[in-house]
Amino acid sequence: MDLELTPDHAVFRASVREIAQGVVQPLAAEVDRDHRFPIEAIEAATQAGLMGVLIPREFGGAGLDALAFTICIEELAQACASTAVIVDVHTSVGTEPILLFGDDDQKRTWLPRLARGELLGAFALSEPSSGSDAASLKTTARRDRDGYVLNGTKVFITNIGHAGLYIVFARTGAESRAAGISAFIVPAETNGVRVGQVFHKMGLHGSPTGELVLEDVRVPAANRLGAEGQGFSVAMRALDSGRIGISGQALGIGQAAVDETRALMRERGHDEGDDFTLADMAARVESARLLAYHAAWRCSRGMRFTREASMSKLHCTDTAMQVAIDAVQVAGDEGTLSGSPFERHVRDAKALQIYEGSNQVQRVVIARELLRAG
Ligand code: CAA
């Protein structure tokens, strides 16, 4: 295994960095302060083709691999963690289920529009009474003539209100838990689809999160993704790669904290205590990066990567949290002021330890994978 990026990956990183540092980063403080959707950043990402990184060229995307996707999210998050999670959720759990489980018609209908950024993707799995235990979800999809009628409420939906399409998981059968769940493509404009409460979060203020309410939402059978009863596998497979994307987001926050701490120390002076802290921060981010890139590398090669993705998500997000807090400690009082990037990184990092499977869930997945192995 070659631990250097290929020339193609290095060139891609440089091109994303140009947009991230040139357009996205200058907006980050304002987006956070005003709790506003970073529309200019998303437009710049769209212009650069970043909304279709994983979508094959035949469907209008860039046709790049999981490592390129991780690098893309890492660079965006270093500039603005809100922008990064919008692009991440769109690209992974909001689009990949169609890529991986869609039939030809579904791919031809939806992927070009997702690749062009004409539609923003989102993922609707969690419910008020089912978060970590996703298989206990209650939303129903009742068979009706040539389609289904969906009813239920989904919560903590990233890209709420801005998404043009939701991948929705609902119960189609009487079978208990995972076996009764199916996945659907639900366009946001469908009658009965409504945005409920939009949440105020401690961080990631530019990334809208809220409730998706489904009231007698009629979708054609052609919008079911995969077979009836296959929905839980669709969700779990999408989350496996989604967790690599969240790792990239964590790396970006962690790297930003390291770089800003280093810049502050150079400018202001530093003692040995600061030096030790900076060294630990940088070593932690670098080790987390290796785990994330390894998981992405396995995914790109078609190898099993469930365990590696969960290890990466666990370690990268814990690292981002730790490093963000360490950076405030070095910065001192200045780092605690509202509007300082140091305090923003702390607020932004926390949700990463919770969404796309809390870090407790990652430990469940890792332990099961370890015990399953021969
Ligand atoms: N890939 C494909 N299929 C899989 C899979 C995987 N990685 N893992 C499980 N499955 C399938 C299998 O077919 C399995 O059946 P078998 O027993 O025949 O193998 C079936 O799913 C059921 O699997 P489990 O018995 O493991 O299911 P479980 O109920 O015990 O699940 C869990 C346990 C891993 C904790 C799971 O519930 C889980 O991942 N929970 C967290 C959910 C989550 O991450 N939610 C985040 C929502 S998105 C978000 O955060 C916000 C946003 O907008 C992005």
Side-chain angles (χ1 to χ4, degrees):
M1 181 185 182
D2 190 346
L3 293 175
E4 284 299 315
L5 291 186
T6 64
D8 284 352
H9 284 117
V11 167
F12 177 68
R13 181 196 283 285
S15 71
V16 180
R17 184 167 294 178
E18 204 176 309
I19 296 153
Q21 293 305 316
V23 182
V24 180
Q25 199 277 338
L27 298 166
E30 182 211 322
V31 159
D32 176 62
R33 186 194 64 213
D34 297 347
H35 293 242
R36 77 162 176 91
F37 190 79
I39 184 72
E40 308 91 321
I42 299 304
E43 276 169 9
T46 303
Q47 290 295 322
L50 301 185
M51 306 310 269
V53 166
L54 290 174
I55 296 176
R57 285 172 185 267
E58 61 175 308
F59 298 113
L64 300 179
D65 64 7
L67 180 56
F69 167 57
T70 311
I71 290 168
C72 170
I73 301 304
E74 180 185 357
E75 289 296 329
L76 291 175
Q78 198 171 332
C80 170
S82 290
T83 300
V85 73
I86 292 166
V87 177
D88 172 72
V89 166
H90 161 83
T91 311
S92 63
V93 290
T95 294
E96 255 202 313
I98 301 176
L99 210 55
L100 296 168
F101 295 92
D103 60 28
D104 283 351
D105 280 349
Q106 290 169 335
K107 288 181 186 174
R108 270 198 304 274
T109 304
W110 302 107
L111 292 179
R113 299 181 68 193
L114 289 158
R116 285 196 296 271
E118 207 177 290
L119 290 178
L120 191 62
F123 184 78
L125 177 67
S126 301
E127 298 183 0
S129 61
S130 69
S132 289
D133 185 15
S136 68
L137 66 84
K138 293 193 173 74
T139 293
T140 55
R142 177 175 49 82
R143 261 280 185 190
D144 183 61
R145 299 194 303 274
D146 54 350
Y148 295 85
V149 177
L150 275 65
N151 279 286
T153 299
K154 299 291 183 176
V155 287
F156 293 108
I157 308 304
T158 303
N159 293 343
I160 192 75
H162 291 262
L165 170 163
Y166 296 91
I167 307 290
V168 174
F169 298 88
R171 204 159 274 295
T172 41
E175 301 87 344
S176 70
R177 297 186 56 79
I181 295 171
S182 304
F184 296 91
I185 301 165
V186 180
E189 73 222 7
T190 315
N191 281 341
V193 173
R194 181 165 68 74
V195 174
Q197 193 188 347
V198 177
F199 303 125
H200 271 254
K201 310 190 299 283
M202 67 186 278
L204 301 172
H205 290 166
S207 153
T209 306
E211 287 177 341
L212 180 72
V213 183
L214 304 156
E215 286 164 339
D216 290 330
V217 175
R218 190 174 292 275
V219 292
N223 282 28
R224 195 189 65 228
L225 262 181
E228 270 199 10
Q230 200 189 356
F232 196 73
S233 288
V234 173
M236 291 298 112
R237 172 59 187 82
L239 283 164
D240 279 348
S241 30
R243 289 163 185 166
I244 302 179
I246 300 304
S247 304
Q249 194 198 7
L251 291 176
I253 295 173
Q255 190 62 52
V258 169
D259 290 351
E260 283 149 13
T261 304
R262 181 174 55 175
L264 183 76
M265 285 167 60
R266 279 178 167 161
E267 185 190 307
R268 177 196 76 176
H270 45 98
D271 58 23
E272 200 176 50
D274 295 334
D275 296 355
F276 285 180
T277 306
L278 178 67
D280 283 345
M281 290 166 64
R284 285 195 169 111
V285 171
E286 198 56 41
S287 71
R289 183 173 288 116
L290 289 174
L291 272 189
Y293 287 11
H294 181 234
W297 178 82
R298 288 184 67 94
C299 173
S300 306
R301 296 188 155 225
M303 298 159 85
R304 262 192 84 89
F305 67 99
T306 298
R307 181 183 68 180
E308 289 76 9
S310 283
M311 284 182 170
S312 165
K313 199 270 184 186
L314 170 65
H315 188 62
C316 289
T317 61
D318 282 355
T319 295
M321 191 72 248
Q322 179 66 54
V323 163
I325 285 183
D326 289 346
V328 174
Q329 195 66 32
V330 174
D333 287 335
E334 191 181 315
T336 68
L337 300 179
S338 295
S340 137
F342 294 101
E343 66 92 34
R344 185 175 79 240
H345 297 325
V346 171
R347 288 188 288 100
D348 284 348
K350 186 60 208 172
L352 281 68
Q353 295 176 298
I354 297 169
Y355 58 40
E356 298 217 10
S358 69
N359 284 0
Q360 295 93 315
V361 163
Q362 306 313 320
R363 290 183 173 91
V364 170
V365 174
I366 295 164
R368 284 185 185 180
E369 290 287 314
L370 288 171
L371 295 167
R372 186 202 310 269

